[in-house]
Amino acid sequence: ENIDGKKDDSKSVQNTADVIKWKEAEEIFLSDDHFQRISNLCSIEKFQLEAELSFDNKIKDNPEKSQNEVNEVSDNSNENAKETLESPSLKDTKNKVSVLNFVNSGTVAVNLKSAGYEGDLGGALDDNTDLVPGVYEGGLKIWECSEDLVKYLHKEYSDKLEGCKVLEVGCGAGLPGVFAFASGASVHFNDYNKEVLEEVTIPNVLLNVQDSPKDLDESKDEEPDSLMAKCKDTSSFPETRYFAGDWEHLNTLLTQDKNVNRYDLILTSETIYNPDNHQKLIQLLKDQLKGSGSGVALIAAKTYYFGVGGSIQDFQRKLEANGFEVETVFKCESGVKREILAAKLK
């Protein structure tokens, strides 16, 4: 299960004979409506990173272990990761960000449906559909690989993110990008669906506004209205921008934007399930990541996407054919097999 308590089946691509018309990219700007969403929250979920004691991804740190050796993650590692606003938080002694606030995506879906929503997310709301190609790309769920990526960032990048420029591609709830933001990075978020950004991603970012990493631990008793007041002072936290739409169009938009320079870190999780979209994603990484090995792309994915065709080995081969050096930095062999790749431009 994912941390919203939903069954975590692999994304399944629906068969369609129609040619998909992918959405053009557009930037979404913060508005009073987003702050109002925070004010209307009845409770806030918490993802406790320090509860994940079984997460060990240091493949390359032990000289006696090969890079392909398995580091297992307990199937039960997420049982204690989700807590309500009233639950006690855990503080890391090194002042890392050890807890993330987030909205419950299931509650968002229920609220949208009860409000008579009829947009592109309708299939997900009515039929519990994970994916409608070219319409809805699964952004309402928090997938296992996103959790893996947050934990990896917490363990390996906590002291490296401040001042960095980060892009999260196909972000959905955006927890990896939110962690980078809470750790002091400027973060740009992309999801295919505008509504996902507005209903889930942006609220999650706003719920993690802070003056220093330890502030999230100290905010456990804050009410949504108090958090909203802190959020509105946008000059006090790193830059965030939000882009909806297809990766090919996003790449064009970012390339044309004179205010966008190449990124130090690009994050993506559960985005390689459809091989037809691999080249668009790789081209985006190639064009937007800093070169000469100074930028890193972290790709978290299931080892295989059965019934769909995507696999992390296939994606790695394509990355290498496009001038990337790639290494596996995390593997999970228990339950659903999952991996994280780190890719750098040569």
Side-chain angles (χ1 to χ4, degrees):
E1 292 187 349
N2 55 56
I3 62 175
D4 278 345
K6 294 183 179 180
K7 187 177 180 181
D8 188 9
D9 296 325
S10 294
K11 297 180 179 181
S12 59
V13 178
Q14 296 181 352
N15 293 325
T16 176
D18 298 329
V19 176
I20 296 172
K21 183 178 180 180
W22 297 98
K23 296 178 185 294
E24 292 191 11
E26 61 175 314
E27 184 167 4
I28 309 302
F29 297 94
L30 284 175
S31 69
D32 286 341
D33 288 343
H34 299 123
F35 295 110
Q36 191 60 45
R37 285 179 176 87
I38 303 298
S39 180
N40 291 340
L41 290 175
C42 296
S43 65
I44 301 169
E45 304 285 352
K46 286 187 177 287
F47 186 26
Q48 301 283 4
L49 286 161
E50 288 306 300
E52 309 301 335
L53 299 179
S54 64
F55 185 79
D56 185 3
N57 52 45
K58 292 189 175 180
I59 294 176
K60 61 184 179 180
D61 289 350
N62 188 337
E64 298 179 359
K65 293 185 177 182
S66 70
Q67 199 122 68
N68 293 323
E69 190 166 348
V70 170
N71 289 274
E72 292 193 353
V73 177
S74 168
D75 288 335
N76 298 320
S77 64
N78 295 322
E79 290 182 359
N80 297 321
K82 182 181 72 175
E83 301 193 15
T84 63
L85 185 63
E86 293 76 25
S87 300
S89 66
L90 301 173
K91 182 174 290 187
D92 187 297
T93 56
K94 296 180 181 178
N95 284 335
K96 295 180 183 179
V97 174
S98 58
V99 58
L100 294 178
N101 300 317
F102 68 98
V103 299
N104 187 294
S105 300
T107 301
V108 170
V110 169
N111 291 342
L112 285 173
K113 190 172 181 180
S114 64
Y117 173 82
E118 296 181 349
D120 288 343
L121 308 187
L125 305 182
D126 295 335
D127 305 324
N128 198 29
T129 301
D130 290 343
L131 180 66
V132 182
V135 179
Y136 167 65
E137 294 290 327
L140 286 179
K141 283 191 175 182
I142 299 177
W143 299 87
E144 275 183 312
C145 294
S146 295
E147 301 170 46
D148 291 340
L149 190 50
V150 174
K151 296 173 211 171
Y152 181 78
L153 290 170
H154 175 259
K155 197 169 185 69
E156 300 293 339
Y157 278 80
S158 285
D159 59 349
K160 303 173 184 177
L161 289 167
E162 187 170 0
C164 287
K165 187 172 182 181
V166 178
L167 171 67
E168 184 176 2
V169 181
C171 63
L175 292 189
V178 169
F179 177 84
F181 166 77
S183 299
S186 296
V187 184
H188 296 174
F189 293 86
N190 156 257
D191 192 82
Y192 186 71
N193 294 102
K194 173 181 177 179
E195 296 95 328
V196 169
L197 291 170
E198 295 197 312
E199 299 289 341
V200 181
T201 316
I202 292 175
N204 284 347
V205 171
L206 296 178
L207 287 172
N208 289 275
V209 170
Q210 55 186 309
D211 297 319
S212 64
K214 64 181 180 180
D215 283 358
L216 280 182
D217 299 305
E218 296 169 352
S219 71
K220 65 181 184 297
D221 296 322
E222 284 193 74
E223 296 297 329
D225 282 343
S226 175
L227 288 170
M228 185 177 74
K230 182 187 289 186
C231 291
K232 284 202 169 185
D233 182 14
T234 55
S235 64
S236 66
F237 52 88
E239 177 199 58
T240 57
R241 294 177 70 179
Y242 307 89
F243 301 92
D246 175 59
W247 296 330
E248 184 176 356
H249 295 105
L250 173 66
N251 194 17
T252 300
L253 183 64
L254 293 176
T255 301
Q256 293 174 346
D257 190 332
K258 295 181 180 180
N259 294 318
V260 174
N261 298 314
R262 291 197 174 205
Y263 296 91
D264 300 293
L265 181 65
I266 298 180
L267 308 171
T268 191
S269 58
E270 299 279 13
T271 54
I272 66 166
Y273 52 88
N274 185 354
D276 291 341
N277 288 328
H278 283 183
Q279 194 55 48
K280 287 192 289 188
L281 178 56
I282 290 171
Q283 192 63 50
L284 174 65
L285 299 179
K286 196 171 183 178
D287 290 344
Q288 302 305 327
L289 188 67
K290 287 184 176 180
S292 302
S294 61
V296 181
L298 295 175
I299 301 106
K302 294 180 175 68
T303 303
Y304 303 103
Y305 288 90
F306 295 103
V308 182
S311 74
I312 204 159
Q313 291 89 348
D314 179 43
F315 192 72
Q316 179 171 349
R317 285 193 294 270
K318 292 175 181 177
L319 282 170
E320 291 169 342
N322 279 270
F324 286 88
E325 293 181 347
V326 186
E327 64 175 327
T328 302
V329 294
F330 165 75
K331 276 193 175 186
C332 172
E333 288 280 352
S334 63
V336 178
K337 293 178 174 60
R338 309 185 302 279
E339 302 179 34
I340 297 176
L341 301 179
K344 298 181 179 181
L345 283 166
K346 297 177 181 178

